[in-house]
Amino acid sequence: MSVISVRLPDGKCLELPSGTTVLAVAEKIGPGLAKAALAGRVDGKLVDLRKPLLEDTALEIVTTKDPAGGEVTRHSAEHVMADAVKRLFPKAQVDAGRSDHSEKFQYDFLVENAFTPEDIAKIEQEMNAILAEKVAFERQVVTRAEAEQLFRSLGEELKLSRLADIPDGAEITLFRHGPFADLCRGPHVQSTSQIGAIKLLESSGTYFRGDEKGPNLQRIYGTAFASKKELAEHLERIEEAKRRDHRRVGAELGLFHLDQLAPARRSTCRRA
Amino acid sequence: MTLYNELVRFMRELYPKYGYHEVMTPQLFRSDLFKTSGHYEKFYDDMYWFAGSDEGEELGVKAMNCPGHCHLYGTAKRSYRELPIRWAEFTRLHRNERSGTLNGITRVRTFAQDDAHIYCEQEQVPDEIDRFFQMTAEVYQKLGVDGIEMAVSTRPEKFLGEPADWDVAEKALITAVERAGFHCRIKPGEAAFYAPKVEADFKDVLGRAWTLATIQIDMAMPGRFGLRYVGRDGELHQPAMLHRAVLGSLERFIGIYIEHTGGDFPFWLSPVQVVLLPISDRHAAGAHAVHAKLAEAGLRSEVDDRSETLGYRIREAEGQKIPLTLVIGDDELSRGTVAPRLRKSKKALEPIPVDALVTTLRVANAERSPAPFAGRA
């Protein structure tokens, strides 16, 4: 079995068997770190804890103390949201999430009726129940046939379409937690208990693959932070941004005027 | 027009100190100019074009000042003694932005920049970058903009010019940032195809990052325009060319600044600096008299003599973010004093003679004070 060298941020090098996962490296460093680990960082990019390391690597372990930790928890909260929607709306089909989890998460769903505010509240409640269940996330490498069979059995037609986008020969990974599974490259938390405080923001309509002739989908946005306090601060920042929106302040203080007659050219009112 | 004009006036007042001269180049040029600069090829869709009246030639509305400045440089023989040439321009630019990208006044189709181009000898480039950072620091200090981070954008996959020249240029930018005492972040591959650049990013009060000041070393235009100067050795050399802006687009800067300050501008930038509130009709004439003195001293003052209650008018002034309120009643008129009331404070300051107030405020304006009487609140 070949050996790889894993260099840690403090300069220390660990000699480990090739195929050791990021989480296993964290466990070697210390149990406390392993418990708090959310992902690894290699070459500035986040890497899933379950990913086997196959060559010499410089590795950092990302926990909630790292700002990037929020990207992982929001990604996992995204999956929990889809899980909650499927539990409450079994006929719903799940399309895609988003790639940028720096501030929020989202999923698109094919459902019979648009989500009402009451639906959103129920989904959020269901999500909180799932978080409390402390469900573990698992990573699975599957063949195309296995993936097709899984999604067909779940009635996920849109997913089969997305599966076809994956080029031949590329590795196909699923992430599973409890009954929910999706095509995903990770990174994900170890357990839903690491996710912290969640909040669903708004829902809107969208089109599958952006095509107006295609099926109408419902998109739900949400966000997650390590603690209720951080979540509250984030929501306050969003409200403050709305209060400070220059178009709003500009109108309140009579600073400028924008008009359809001269699109995107302002009239300098008497002030700005 | 206050924010716009006061910002431009501020920049104009700094220019002599930093060695800039202001120029004005045309709005419309024959497309030949843009073919020389390379914008016809790379920027065609983002510009406005139409047939001119002379023989139906193609005219372009300028989207940037650099081609015009390069052409202007070429209209006379230049000597090393004249360099660095620093030309500033505030005229309007037009860009055909996609409607999906438009946003309030932060992305518009017509705008102006505190634009300038510097033509200098290669050895003068590091010093020019240093001076640019000094100017930027001075401007931001007056605007109350801090928390600046610097990033250098390096060559993209496809770039014009020699790799060795890009090496020199990128290194010059990085060392200049470090000399100015900043940690230098690198944005690999983010430079324009014709110029590596430094960007000064700042985080606004909501933690959002905005790029404001930028300086770029142009690797293509001097060559494309055949720009030359006679050196100390009597030989012809090609000048280096820098593009720079401290605020960037004025419209965009104003939009960002409004969100950063929430409309609570420093005194010297407030569209209305003072509002006079006569308590009742019989005090109106006296209020107007004080207003006249303030206006004559160059202050942006208004009188609110509507029949609303005093409390209502004070709250309005607060809502409109006016820095100073002056209530005018019997006491004020009989003693010739005013009691300045600062925005957000619960009560007025001690009364002072009207002339003393006018002088204090005139000086505050001249010195671009953020808040006159601040220490006294």
Side-chain angles (χ1 to χ4, degrees), chain B residues 120-132:
Chain B
C120 62
E121 297 193 85
Q122 203 55 47
E123 310 78 68
Q124 293 169 324
V125 168
D127 194 54
E128 287 305 308
I129 304 174
D130 288 347
R131 295 166 120 262
F132 172 69

Side-chain angles (χ1 to χ4, degrees), chain A residues 236-237 240-242 244-247 249-250 252-256 258 263-266 268-272, chain B residues 1-4 48 102-106 108-110 205-206 251 255 258-262 271-272 302 320:
Chain A
E236 175 54 28
R237 265 199 304 271
E240 187 62 25
K242 283 191 195 142
R244 282 169 182 259
D245 186 323
H246 71 275
R247 288 162 298 186
V249 177
E252 277 169 11
L253 302 185
L255 296 176
F256 54 81
L258 298 166
R265 290 175 174 82
R266 71 174 174 132
T268 65
C269 216
R270 49 191 184 109
R271 302 235 167 140
Chain B
M1 287 288 296
T2 304
L3 287 172
Y4 192 98
Y48 291 98
L102 301 173
N103 179 38
I105 61 170
T106 54
V108 283
R109 292 186 173 128
T110 308
V205 70
L206 298 173
E251 278 76 357
I258 289 172
E259 297 197 3
H260 178 59
T261 58
V272 179
E302 287 185 353
Q320 288 289 297

